[in-house]
Amino acid sequence: MALLYKNKLDGQGREDQNSSLLALLGGSSGEAPLVIEPISWMSFPSTPVNFMAGNSGNYTVSGTLPFSGGCNQVNITFYGSKDGANITISGGEHGTWDNLYIDDCFPNYSDGFNVSGFTPGKARVIYRVSDNVYNVWFPDLRAGQIIGVVEINVADIGSVVVGP
């Protein structure tokens, strides 16, 4: 991974040779490079959310808490932030897009979010481990660790050719 990252920074790696997460490491869409350390029990979209300016798209975040201490003993929070093109995120049956909370009362987490925007461009939603991670239950996680990124592409309406 370090060699692929170095190749990406040196411009030697071709975009089609890299996964979407690896492409984010090099800041391929003009944003700052990210170091992503996913965790096996949380799932984020592996393909970008694509929609036309003025419309919307959606994505789902899911996971299964790997520990069970009984109800109200184990919990964790992941915070979302966004950068890039101006987008609005709504929805979420169990919480908000920027505050994913999982506990052992409901250890199977799944939530869908709607994304909309009027400004063409690229954006991303970045999910991090909260600052109050409880290291006894989650020894492999650290505060601020980036665990997932959702890429968003808002296409320009003028780029669509209609008719013959």
Side-chain angles (χ1 to χ4, degrees):
M1 177 116 148
L3 180 59
L4 289 173
Y5 178 59
K6 182 179 179 333
N7 285 347
K8 179 69 176 166
L9 290 180
D10 293 344
Q12 297 170 5
R14 288 194 350 240
E15 194 70 30
D16 61 351
Q17 293 175 326
N18 301 325
S19 72
S20 59
L21 285 180
L22 184 59
L24 286 171
L25 284 172
S28 64
S29 56
E31 293 90 7
L34 296 177
V35 176
I36 303 162
E37 300 176 60
I39 53 180
S40 62
W41 47 274
M42 285 296 292
S43 177
F44 298 88
S46 59
T47 59
V49 177
N50 300 304
F51 59 91
M52 302 297 289
N55 291 313
S56 63
N58 57 62
Y59 68 91
T60 300
V61 175
S62 61
T64 301
L65 198 65
F67 307 103
S68 178
C71 193
N72 292 320
Q73 292 184 28
V74 180
N75 63 65
I76 190 165
T77 303
F78 302 110
Y79 293 125
S81 62
K82 56 186 177 178
D83 67 9
N86 187 19
I87 56 173
T88 301
I89 306 172
S90 61
E93 183 178 334
H94 305 290
T96 61
W97 69 271
D98 58 346
N99 190 347
L100 307 178
Y101 177 81
I102 304 173
D103 67 23
D104 55 348
C105 294
F106 301 97
N108 296 316
Y109 178 87
S110 183
D111 232 334
F113 301 98
N114 299 315
V115 184
S116 60
F118 290 93
T119 306
K122 294 179 182 263
R124 60 188 179 188
V125 183
I126 304 163
Y127 286 98
R128 291 180 166 86
V129 176
S130 68
D131 291 339
N132 62 349
V133 63
Y134 189 49
N135 290 66
V136 171
W137 289 110
F138 304 100
D140 296 332
L141 298 181
R142 65 183 188 289
Q145 175 181 339
I146 297 173
I147 61 162
V149 174
V150 180
E151 293 182 81
I152 312 289
N153 295 318
V154 183
D156 187 353
I157 294 173
S159 66
V160 175
V161 178
V162 179

